[in-house]
């Protein structure tokens, strides 16, 4: 008698309007992925986001005090970001050509 391995995946069926399917297919093609891979990835990412938004964070009193102190401290400039933000934008160059 042959022994079969248990399935590791489960089918999921959805009914979608043509417009939704068209946009999903277009996006999947742009990413070079199949419709199934694209939809699975998007659904898992959305599920992870939802779980992260409602997840409980536990920390000690000392940890919470350090966290609040970090949030309450004055912001310090990040020199590399300051330099980048002070560069002229490519579209703002004054080359005299219009």
């Amino acid at each position: 008698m042959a022994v079969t391995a248990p399935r590791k995946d489960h089918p999921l069926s959805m009914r979608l309007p043509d417009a939704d399917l068209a946009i999903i297919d277009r996006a999947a093609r742009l990413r070079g992925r199949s419709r199934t891979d694209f939809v699975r990835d998007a659904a898992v990412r959305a599920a992870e986001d939802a779980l992260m938004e409602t997840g409980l964070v536990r920390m000690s009193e000392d940890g919470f005090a350090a966290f609040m102190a970090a949030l309450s401290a004055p912001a310090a400039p990040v020199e590399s970001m300051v330099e980048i933000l002070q560069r002229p934008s490519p579209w703002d160059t004054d080359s005299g050509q219009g």
Side-chain angles (χ1 to χ4, degrees):
M1 179 188 236
V3 177
T4 59
R7 281 189 75 135
K8 293 182 180 178
D9 55 0
H10 304 278
L12 176 66
S13 179
M14 298 171 63
R15 289 195 166 97
L16 299 170
D18 288 340
D20 289 354
L21 199 55
I23 197 166
I24 290 168
D25 286 347
R26 182 176 173 204
R29 278 193 306 275
L30 285 171
R31 296 281 187 234
R33 303 183 69 184
S34 70
R35 178 192 297 162
T36 299
D37 286 343
F38 186 85
V39 170
R40 180 181 50 238
D41 185 55
V44 168
R45 206 170 335 115
E48 289 171 344
D49 289 348
L51 293 171
M52 291 298 290
E53 289 172 4
T54 60
L56 180 63
V57 176
R58 295 179 188 267
M59 62 180 73
S60 67
E61 276 189 54
D62 291 340
F64 183 72
F67 176 71
M68 292 305 293
L71 288 179
S72 301
V78 178
E79 291 302 321
S80 58
M81 290 298 295
V82 170
E83 190 272 325
I84 289 171
L85 293 171
Q86 289 175 344
R87 292 181 194 166
S89 300
W91 54 87
D92 288 339
T93 59
D94 189 23
S95 62
Q97 298 176 15

